[in-house]
Amino acid sequence: MALSVSDLSAIYSLLANSMSQDESIRKPAELALAQSESRPGFCSCLMEVITAKDLASQVDIRLMASVYFKNSINRYWRKRRDSSGISNEEKQHLKQKLLSHLREENYQIAQMLAVLISKIARFDYPREWPELVSFLAQQLPSADVLTSHRIFMILFRTLKELSTKRLTADQRNFAEISSHLYKYCWHIWQSDLQTISHGFSIITQSYNSNGKEQHHDDLYLTCERWLFCLKIICQLVISGFQSDAKCIQEIRPVKEVSPVLLNAAQSFLPYYTSLQNRHPKFWEFIKRACTKLMKILVAIQQRHPYSFGDICVLQPVLNFCLNKITDPEPDILSFEQFLIKCMVMAKSVFECKEYKPSVTGRVMDENGVTLEQMKKNISNAVAGVLTRLLPNERIVLLCNVLIRRYFVLTTSDLEEWYENPEVFHHEQDMVQWTEKLRPCAEALYIVLFENHSQLLAPIVVSILQEAMNGCPTSTSEITPGLLLKDAAYGAAAYVYYELSNYLSFRDWFNGALSLELSNDHPNMRIIHRKVALILGQWVSEIKDDTKRAVYCALIRLLQDKDLSVRLAACRSLCLHVEDANFSEKDFSDLLPVCWGSCFKLVKEVQEFDSKVQVLNLISVLLGHVNEVIPYASNLMHFFQMVWEESSGESLLRIQLLIALRNFVIALGYQSPSCYSMLLPILQKGIDINGPDELNLLEDSMLLWEATLSHAPAMVPQLLAYFPCLLEILERNFDHLQVAVDIIEDYIILGGREFLSMHASSVAKLLDLIVGNVNDRGLLSILPIIDILILCFPMEVPPLISSTLQKLVVICLSGDDGDPSKTAVKASSAAIIARILVMNTNYLAQLTSEPSLSSVLQRTGVAIEDNILLSLVGVWLDKVDNVSLPQKKAFGLALSIILTLRLPQVLDKLDQILSVCTSVILGGTDDLTEEESRSHDEDLLPSKELRRRQIKVSDPINRLSLENSVRDNLQTCAALHGESFNSAIAKIHPAAFAQLKQALKMP
């Protein structure tokens, strides 16, 4: 039943009650609102609550109404199968109501209204709401500051929503919007810029601001409108045009907008200091405006690099950024976010691939000029601009400034470090490089060095030598010299790949780095942390004669008193253990101390990232060292503790599951010793009803597979877990490949006990997969069906009859020459051939069942002869598309066909004998028992050993195709008499000679 105006008070009461602290009031209200969501008129009632003038002060209730409105748009704006959705009449009413309420005074409500309009626009613009943008644009000229501010807010939200639509038609619509809105928005933005600049000039000259409050409010609203307009211009320039890196066309607004944005930033910067104390609200705006302007310039450069590379854009922007980095005004030094944006811009230009020589192919346009040449011409022009902007002296200066100013730890850095070493470590080394000044400077330095390594390598080495000479290893006071050495060590660590040509690591380590570690003064944590970084970064340059000493140094650093040093050592140890040239021989005696240090460290750290880092080292060690069993007990206790303490921390538990998998693999066939700890964890991980299954399931399944494949025997707990696999696959096939491996493990390891306990689950599972997955999925499951039938030829075929019917349909359907479909068809045919060889009576029964004929009819498969003879055609046709063992299965199946009392067999006799002959003469990869025994003597009871034993016992391998064909030919001759002789006479003499050779007939 539809809601109407008479229900408004009830809806209002429900909204009010839904925010009650009393659960007995809140829960029924939330339930009633949820039940009302799909009723016609619900959104109209919410709209009345949001826009009612007498409720203007009830901001919280209006906000709650807007939240429910937004959710209803997402769920019901488009018609759904389970709901009629919102009617067209109500939609029209809501859109009109929204556009009639543009002048909302409350900022939060106005923001939500803008979101509501943008959500509807995503569905309806332009087809169902073509007037939206033009209506908003028409209101702007006559609107006051507040109304225009709200309109720009709506436009920004709407454009942001529309810009994410990727279909070609949607992008054309956005380009059309850009052509209509760009000029007007650009004009308004420039006008507001003048107003703001004039207003700031007056404010900074006036000392009595009390009488100007109203003027300040209007000015602040203009500032906010200007910011929205700026964001809109950014959207129009970036999303309204195809990237010029693709279309190789000049984007004119880039050249028009970018210099003005730069000038705006330059005009605002002087107010950064003057407004800081007396006008904090405007000071916050200055910070937002300057950083936003630089951020937009970066975005434009990355979207339209060629247009931005024009000398009138690139030169002033890059020149400005480099000047601010190398020679900032004293007050700008404290404006870190702005300096970060300048560094980001410089880095973006330095690493821009469009500014480097083009390596594209020769794609011709209509005029015959290659796109490659067009790109090269632009790239060469930009390269010329960059060369003039970056003479060697300026590059060297920038490198020096980055190392000597921005790499050097400040007093506040040291205070943060001493207060919380763990947090400091993560902020400096794991934070996004665009968020902190020092990591950003390091990222810029690395790109600069990569571009000018030959020029800068000697400079960096000289800074390093200067710093080491100015601060001996015995120094323990925190002096400028020690801080410079820390910075220089960092600079040398980040560019090891080029610096190794100028600096011998062995000499550096023996002459300085190892000596630094002998100084245990607390202040030396600064250098120790950087030494740990160097040892990790330079791993590829560390030769065999130095490895042992480096490993010892890292283990010592892992025991340092400072957590930041220990965490840095932890990360560097990971790099060494994962290195292709890791020397377990030199590391093995350090393992006890290493394990102990890791266990101790994980107990001491508090930060989530720290625990993940330590757990990662343990996982890496388990994957790369052989001596795990002596430490298994301690590791089990450790894993148990981490699991219990990590409830609700999915990422930590994921890392733990990875470590456990490596632990199981390392233990190998002694893994049952850890089952008491492992299996309860595994059971929780594969439970799809668990609270965190979405995050843990993938790694839990990988652990499950590893546990099974390294188990010497099946245990009852593992056997009981199998139904979980059916539950997982009933939901989706996201983890199909590992699920297939798990099924194979159960078949090989569990044997007859597994089948007797889970026969119905196996049948359901295979029936679920076959017919519901793509060809790639089928190709992964078909070998499992084959091995299942091989192990249980009498029990399994009747059990999985529904699946086998689907395989017959696949065999008898066309493959249209598609390689993957051909592979699926051939593998399916090989399975059917195996059944004919190992359980002939059942296949005869299957192919004669009326239900199979019905399935074939429903799928449009036409059968001329009987089904079995149709399968013969598939075996003959696909023999060249299968492996050698499958070829033999085809040959044995075809030889059995010779015994059928059907005259059509003689029609195919020539082809059948030709295939059998080629299979016999072509040989097989059969593995005899003697060969198998010689291979298996040294093997532990492994999955591979069991698989090999199954293969050896495979009747397909044991049976003689030669004898089978010879015997069945005699049967065929007896059945068909003179007709047989006539068919044999038609065989080509050369083919008949080969047949005699294959059958060793005289």
Side-chain angles (χ1 to χ4, degrees):
M1 191 171 128
L3 296 170
S4 63
V5 178
S6 60
D7 298 297
L8 265 175
S9 59
I11 295 293
Y12 174 83
S13 298
L14 288 174
L15 289 167
N17 291 342
S18 71
M19 293 183 290
S20 172
Q21 298 294 318
D22 187 341
E23 190 172 328
S24 63
I25 297 172
R26 186 179 71 253
K27 288 290 183 183
E30 289 174 342
L31 181 61
L33 286 167
Q35 291 170 343
S36 301
E37 277 185 344
S38 58
R39 293 174 64 184
F42 179 65
C43 288
S44 297
C45 288
L46 294 175
M47 192 71 222
E48 293 302 321
V49 173
I50 296 167
T51 59
K53 291 183 179 178
D54 57 333
L55 295 179
S57 61
Q58 303 291 321
V59 176
D60 51 351
I61 295 175
R62 295 170 70 203
L63 277 173
M64 184 59 73
S66 64
V67 169
Y68 273 95
F69 193 174
K70 179 169 73 74
N71 293 341
S72 294
I73 291 170
N74 291 335
R75 292 171 189 157
Y76 303 109
W77 198 266
R78 279 184 172 167
K79 283 185 170 55
R80 299 174 4 162
R81 281 178 295 176
D82 58 345
S83 167
S84 59
I86 302 170
S87 69
N88 290 333
E89 293 76 17
E90 187 176 3
K91 286 180 183 178
Q92 194 61 31
H93 166 72
L94 292 169
K95 288 189 276 196
Q96 289 174 354
K97 191 78 174 176
L98 283 165
L99 292 181
S100 67
H101 196 76
L102 296 177
R103 202 180 189 284
E104 169 59 52
E105 294 191 2
N106 183 276
Y107 185 83
Q108 287 179 293
I109 300 295
Q111 217 170 17
M112 283 304 298
L113 289 171
V115 169
L116 293 173
I117 291 172
S118 71
K119 293 290 181 187
I120 295 171
R122 184 174 184 85
F123 293 127
D124 282 10
Y125 183 85
R127 187 171 299 175
E128 306 296 332
W129 204 2
E131 72 278 9
L132 171 62
V133 175
S134 58
F135 174 83
L136 292 171
Q138 288 165 11
Q139 306 307 304
L140 282 170
S142 59
D144 60 15
V145 177
L146 177 64
T147 307
S148 62
H149 173 273
R150 300 310 193 231
I151 291 172
F152 277 121
M153 182 190 289
I154 293 166
L155 280 170
F156 167 65
R157 290 281 176 189
T158 303
L159 291 172
K160 188 175 182 182
E161 192 73 44
L162 295 177
S163 69
T164 61
K165 299 177 77 173
R166 308 315 309 159
L167 293 178
T168 304
D170 295 321
Q171 292 181 340
R172 273 200 304 268
N173 289 331
F174 198 94
E176 190 176 338
I177 296 171
S178 297
S179 65
H180 292 315
L181 280 183
Y182 169 70
K183 285 187 179 178
Y184 184 78
C185 290
W186 183 233
H187 171 73
I188 289 284
W189 183 86
Q190 288 179 298
S191 175
D192 280 352
L193 180 60
Q194 291 181 347
T195 303
I196 293 166
S197 298
H198 180 67
F200 284 172
S201 177
I202 292 172
I203 287 173
T204 53
Q205 293 171 19
S206 170
Y207 287 93
N208 179 18
S209 60
N210 295 331
K212 305 276 187 179
E213 279 305 316
Q214 183 59 47
H215 169 69
H216 287 182
D217 288 345
D218 289 345
L219 180 61
Y220 188 72
L221 206 54
T222 303
C223 290
E224 289 292 310
R225 181 177 70 181
W226 178 88
L227 272 175
F228 274 120
C229 204
L230 176 64
K231 293 174 185 177
I232 289 169
I233 290 164
C234 176
Q235 287 283 358
L236 297 177
V237 174
I238 288 174
S239 301
F241 302 89
Q242 186 182 13
S243 170
D244 66 3
K246 293 180 180 177
C247 66
I248 322 295
Q249 292 179 354
E250 183 184 84
I251 310 300
R252 293 194 64 183
V254 172
K255 293 170 70 173
E256 181 180 11
V257 166
S258 301
V260 183
L261 297 185
L262 178 64
N263 290 337
Q266 289 173 311
S267 66
F268 282 154
L269 279 176
Y271 296 111
Y272 177 76
T273 305
S274 57
L275 295 174
Q276 184 169 2
N277 296 321
R278 293 170 51 212
H279 300 283
K281 188 164 70 170
F282 288 119
W283 181 65
E284 285 297 327
F285 165 76
I286 289 293
K287 290 199 294 180
R288 285 166 59 204
C290 289
T291 51
K292 177 59 74 175
L293 286 163
M294 293 307 301
K295 186 176 180 180
I296 289 173
L297 283 170
V298 172
I300 292 173
Q301 188 276 329
Q302 291 175 347
R303 173 72 172 175
H304 304 300
Y306 290 139
S307 301
F308 195 92
D310 189 276
I311 190 169
C312 70
V313 179
L314 180 61
Q315 181 167 309
V317 172
L318 186 58
N319 203 40
F320 170 81
C321 291
L322 293 178
N323 285 338
K324 291 301 173 191
I325 295 167
T326 57
D327 190 23
E329 296 83 353
D331 49 327
I332 298 301
L333 269 173
S334 63
F335 193 178
E336 286 198 359
Q337 282 305 310
F338 185 74
L339 285 173
I340 286 171
K341 291 294 179 286
C342 290
M343 290 182 182
V344 171
M345 171 55 82
K347 178 177 178 288
S348 184
V349 170
F350 292 164
E351 67 184 355
C352 179
K353 69 178 188 299
E354 283 79 18
Y355 299 162
K356 292 176 169 56
S358 173
V359 291
T360 56
R362 295 179 61 82
V363 181
M364 302 294 289
D365 70 1
E366 293 177 357
N367 299 320
V369 180
T370 64
L371 293 177
E372 176 191 3
Q373 192 57 50
M374 292 170 68
K375 288 182 178 182
K376 280 185 176 180
N377 292 341
I378 301 171
S379 297
N380 290 337
V382 176
V385 175
L386 289 175
T387 302
R388 290 191 294 274
L389 270 173
L390 290 167
N392 288 351
E393 299 78 17
R394 195 173 199 182
I395 294 168
V396 171
L397 172 64
L398 179 58
C399 177
N400 266 288
V401 168
L402 288 172
I403 296 171
R404 296 175 185 272
R405 180 184 299 156
Y406 295 106
F407 283 20
V408 173
L409 293 168
T410 63
T411 304
S412 62
D413 290 329
L414 295 173
E415 288 171 357
E416 284 179 30
W417 186 345
Y418 294 148
E419 188 176 329
N420 195 327
E422 198 178 343
V423 171
F424 176 81
H425 166 77
H426 294 300
E427 281 195 350
Q428 294 301 311
D429 289 341
M430 299 180 74
V431 78
Q432 272 279 358
W433 63 270
T434 54
E435 293 176 13
K436 288 276 186 176
L437 187 58
R438 183 175 299 102
C440 190
E442 290 166 353
L444 174 58
Y445 161 78
I446 291 169
V447 172
L448 182 72
F449 193 95
E450 285 174 351
N451 288 355
H452 307 281
S453 56
Q454 290 186 334
L455 172 66
L456 295 180
I459 303 297
V460 174
V461 171
S462 69
I463 295 173
L464 180 64
Q465 294 290 354
E466 174 195 337
M468 289 166 63
N469 292 336
C471 180
T473 56
S474 58
T475 302
S476 56
E477 295 299 316
I478 300 178
T479 62
L482 184 135
L483 295 177
L484 177 62
K485 181 160 73 169
D486 171 73
Y489 275 11
Y494 301 131
V495 293
Y496 64 92
Y497 44 87
E498 285 288 350
L499 223 55
S500 58
N501 295 325
Y502 298 83
L503 184 65
S504 163
F505 178 82
R506 184 194 296 107
D507 295 343
W508 187 21
F509 179 78
N510 293 330
L513 299 180
S514 61
L515 301 178
E516 308 278 14
L517 301 183
S518 62
N519 187 341
D520 290 328
H521 192 280
N523 288 338
M524 287 304 291
R525 71 182 78 185
I526 297 171
I527 300 300
H528 288 177
R529 177 175 165 274
K530 210 52 68 77
V531 171
L533 172 68
I534 291 166
L535 297 183
Q537 292 293 314
W538 282 68
V539 59
S540 61
E541 305 303 323
I542 299 173
K543 307 303 179 190
D544 291 345
D545 58 354
T546 319
K547 282 186 188 295
R548 169 71 183 179
V550 169
Y551 294 161
C552 291
L554 283 169
I555 294 298
R556 179 172 180 170
L557 288 165
L558 195 60
Q559 301 171 80
D560 198 276
K561 294 176 183 177
D562 184 83
L563 277 178
S564 182
V565 175
R566 290 160 73 185
L567 288 168
C570 180
R571 185 190 53 216
S572 291
L573 262 174
C574 266
L575 296 173
H576 276 269
V577 178
E578 287 180 311
D579 181 53
N581 297 314
F582 172 64
S583 171
E584 188 177 351
K585 175 175 65 71
D586 290 326
F587 193 80
S588 58
D589 66 315
L590 301 173
L591 263 175
V593 182
C594 186
W595 289 125
S597 300
C598 288
F599 299 153
K600 185 180 178 185
L601 181 56
V602 92
K603 288 179 182 177
E604 292 182 27
V605 295
Q606 301 296 319
E607 295 292 315
F608 167 80
D609 287 333
S610 303
K611 293 176 182 177
V612 170
Q613 196 171 327
V614 180
L615 199 51
N616 183 51
L617 173 58
I618 290 171
S619 181
V620 167
L621 283 166
L622 288 169
H624 290 82
V625 299
N626 294 318
E627 291 187 36
V628 172
I629 292 169
Y631 317 104
S633 177
N634 288 336
L635 284 162
M636 284 171 58
H637 177 73
F638 168 76
F639 290 138
Q640 187 70 50
M641 178 197 73
V642 173
W643 179 264
E644 290 170 358
E645 293 178 356
S646 62
S647 178
E649 295 183 346
S650 302
L651 291 176
L652 186 57
R653 284 196 160 179
I654 287 170
Q655 199 67 50
L656 175 63
L657 290 168
I658 294 169
L660 279 171
R661 181 168 176 263
N662 287 339
F663 183 47
V664 168
I665 294 169
L667 288 176
Y669 303 103
Q670 297 191 42
S671 57
S673 63
C674 74
Y675 281 2
S676 59
M677 171 274 301
L678 175 72
L679 296 186
I681 293 174
L682 178 59
Q683 186 176 15
K684 289 175 183 174
I686 60 176
D687 179 9
I688 63 168
N689 299 312
D692 207 16
E693 58 80 26
L694 190 65
N695 295 315
L696 302 184
L697 185 59
E698 181 177 359
D699 292 290
S700 296
M701 289 185 72
L702 290 169
L703 174 60
W704 190 4
E705 197 284 323
T707 303
L708 287 165
S709 63
H710 290 83
M714 182 61 75
V715 296
Q717 300 101 307
L718 283 172
L719 202 57
Y721 292 167
F722 185 77
C724 293
L725 194 62
L726 180 59
E727 293 178 3
I728 291 166
L729 291 179
E730 280 178 334
R731 191 171 58 174
N732 58 55
F733 297 115
D734 290 351
H735 312 295
L736 179 62
Q737 186 54 60
V738 67
V740 166
D741 294 337
I742 289 169
I743 298 168
E744 184 184 37
D745 291 335
Y746 271 104
I747 295 167
I748 292 174
L749 187 66
R752 197 166 295 279
E753 182 187 8
F754 159 68
L755 187 68
S756 62
M757 183 178 287
H758 296 298
S760 61
S761 292
V762 170
K764 285 180 187 175
L765 208 154
L766 294 178
D767 197 46
L768 176 69
I769 296 172
V770 177
N772 291 308
V773 298
N774 59 19
D775 293 336
R776 183 179 174 188
L778 282 171
L779 288 171
S780 68
I781 195 64
L782 290 176
I784 306 307
I785 298 173
D786 188 62
I787 200 171
L788 190 61
I789 294 168
L790 164 58
C791 293
F792 311 105
M794 306 310 293
E795 300 91 334
V796 165
L799 180 69
I800 62 169
S801 59
S802 174
T803 300
L804 294 176
Q805 285 189 356
K806 292 179 183 178
L807 295 189
V808 172
V809 171
I810 290 171
C811 288
L812 300 181
S813 301
D815 55 32
D816 303 321
D818 183 330
S820 61
K821 287 193 179 343
T822 299
V824 169
K825 188 172 183 175
S827 296
S828 301
I831 291 171
I832 303 300
R834 175 180 291 282
I835 297 172
L836 179 59
V837 174
M838 299 181 72
N839 194 341
T840 308
N841 291 338
Y842 175 76
L843 189 68
Q845 177 190 329
L846 176 70
T847 54
S848 60
E849 282 181 3
S851 59
L852 177 56
S853 298
S854 300
V855 171
L856 288 167
Q857 284 179 353
R858 282 200 306 273
T859 53
V861 177
I863 302 297
E864 294 179 6
D865 300 313
N866 67 38
I867 293 172
L868 194 53
L869 285 174
S870 298
L871 287 169
V872 170
V874 179
W875 292 326
L876 293 171
D877 184 46
K878 299 301 176 190
V879 71
D880 292 328
N881 299 105
V882 294
S883 64
L884 284 175
Q886 290 174 323
K887 284 181 192 289
K888 188 174 179 185
F890 279 16
L892 288 167
L894 290 169
S895 76
I896 291 171
I897 294 296
L898 295 175
T899 64
L900 297 181
R901 195 185 298 272
L902 293 170
Q904 295 95 321
V905 171
L906 297 180
D907 297 335
K908 299 179 184 289
L909 183 63
D910 186 2
Q911 291 175 280
I912 290 172
L913 293 176
S914 174
V915 166
C916 292
T917 301
S918 66
V919 172
I920 294 169
L921 296 178
T924 68
D925 63 349
D926 296 353
L927 194 67
T928 65
E929 282 192 63
E930 291 74 19
E931 289 173 320
S932 172
R933 199 172 295 118
S934 67
H935 280 296
D936 297 341
E937 282 175 354
D938 300 325
L939 290 177
L940 291 165
S942 67
K943 178 181 175 180
E944 273 309 310
L945 172 59
R946 293 189 187 94
R947 189 188 277 124
R948 188 186 295 275
Q949 290 169 341
I950 289 170
K951 182 179 178 182
V952 170
S953 64
D954 184 356
I956 300 287
N957 288 334
R958 288 174 169 272
L959 289 171
S960 166
L961 177 57
E962 177 188 328
N963 293 338
S964 178
V965 173
R966 188 187 302 112
D967 294 344
N968 291 339
L969 264 178
Q970 292 175 358
T971 304
C972 187
L975 287 171
H976 298 285
E978 190 56 41
S979 299
F980 172 81
N981 293 332
S982 299
I984 286 288
K986 293 177 184 177
I987 298 175
H988 191 280
F992 191 71
Q994 282 190 321
L995 174 65
K996 291 174 68 176
Q997 179 190 347
L999 299 182
K1000 299 184 175 62
M1001 294 167 61

